[in-house]
């Protein structure tokens, strides 16, 4: 593995991408991507680790969230904007962690009919890029926002889970979305085998006020744990 320390401006069509056990650390980096399927921080087949601190991350293309994790990705004190995609996507038994950071996104999906529109998406594509298991998303002392200027603002759920098990940990974090749908877990025609491709979610809220509908189809489940004076309406 190789450790990269960076304090420079990066203009790229790709991103910081760790694969086959690769390891990247970035500090005080500005990354801008313009192409499709170009997350600023990513892991790929074979997994990897990316740690970013004090960064500014911006994407413009479709299918280009701030973070696309098929490994372990974490950010701290970072601002990110995805202008044509989700905030964060976690695929398979992998993780993304947001600490003391602010993220904005259009929540636009990358499939026909915007079946995958969301603030944060956790799924299993069955492409072989990510091992099967539980996807984990964690946000603490942060702000997650669907852009009010987006055409998806009034329709996209903050969290969308399909064809996988997922754990979502939210602590002292602001969630801003206009759809009224906090979480949606369901099977789709895009991924997995019909009838067994729902989402099984555990949502752990700590020092958190949660508001919004929770939508589950008949093959999906939710366990909601409210801790340390958390509330759900």
């Amino acid at each position: 593995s190789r450790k990269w320390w960076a304090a420079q401006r990066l203009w790229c069509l790709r991103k910081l991408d760790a694969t086959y056990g690769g390891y990247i650390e970035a500090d005080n980096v500005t990354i801008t991507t313009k192409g499709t399927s170009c997350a600023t921080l990513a892991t790929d087949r074979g997994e990897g680790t990316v740690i970013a601190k004090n960064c500014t991350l911006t994407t413009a293309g479709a299918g280009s969230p701030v973070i696309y994790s098929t490994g372990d990705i974490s950010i701290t004190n970072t601002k990110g904007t995805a202008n044509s995609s989700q905030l964060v996507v976690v695929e398979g038994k992998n993780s993304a962690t947001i600490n003391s950071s602010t993220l904005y996104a259009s929540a636009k999906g990358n499939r026909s009919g915007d079946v995958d529109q969301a603030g944060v998406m956790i799924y299993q594509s069955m492409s072989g890029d990510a091992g099967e298991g539980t996807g984990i998303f964690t946000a603490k002392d942060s702000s997650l926002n669907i852009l009010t200027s987006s055409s998806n603002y009034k329709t996209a759920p903050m969290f969308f889970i399909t064809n996988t098990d997922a754990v979502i940990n939210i602590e002292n974090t602001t969630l801003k979305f206009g759809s009224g749908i906090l979480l949606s877990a369901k099977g789709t025609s895009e991924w997995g085998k019909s009838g067994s491709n729902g989402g099984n979610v555990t949502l752990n809220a700590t020092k958190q006020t949660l508001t919004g509908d929770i939508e589950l189809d008949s093959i999906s489940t939710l366990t909601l744990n409210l801790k340390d004076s958390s509330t759900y309406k």
Side-chain angles (χ1 to χ4, degrees), residues 3-12 16 24-32 41 52-57:
K3 181 183 289 187
W4 294 84
W5 291 91
Q8 58 187 314
R9 182 175 298 273
L10 299 180
W11 295 91
C12 58
L16 299 185
I24 298 172
E25 289 191 24
D27 191 0
N28 192 29
V29 171
T30 296
I31 302 175
T32 299
L41 305 179
K53 302 176 182 179
N54 310 308
C55 293
T56 301
L57 312 171

Side-chain angles (χ1 to χ4, degrees), residues 37-106:
S37 300
C38 289
T40 53
L41 305 179
T43 46
D44 214 325
R45 186 169 297 209
E47 303 178 7
T49 301
V50 180
I51 300 171
K53 302 176 182 179
N54 310 308
C55 293
T56 301
L57 312 171
T58 306
T59 71
S64 302
V66 176
I67 293 172
Y68 191 102
S69 181
T70 60
D72 298 306
I73 300 179
S74 65
I75 62 173
T76 301
N77 193 33
T78 288
K79 181 178 178 179
T81 303
N83 287 293
S84 299
S85 189
Q86 304 94 341
L87 299 159
V88 175
V89 176
V90 178
E91 182 178 353
K93 62 174 185 62
N94 299 295
S95 71
T97 301
I98 315 300
N99 290 308
S100 302
S101 296
T102 299
L103 299 182
Y104 298 88
S106 71

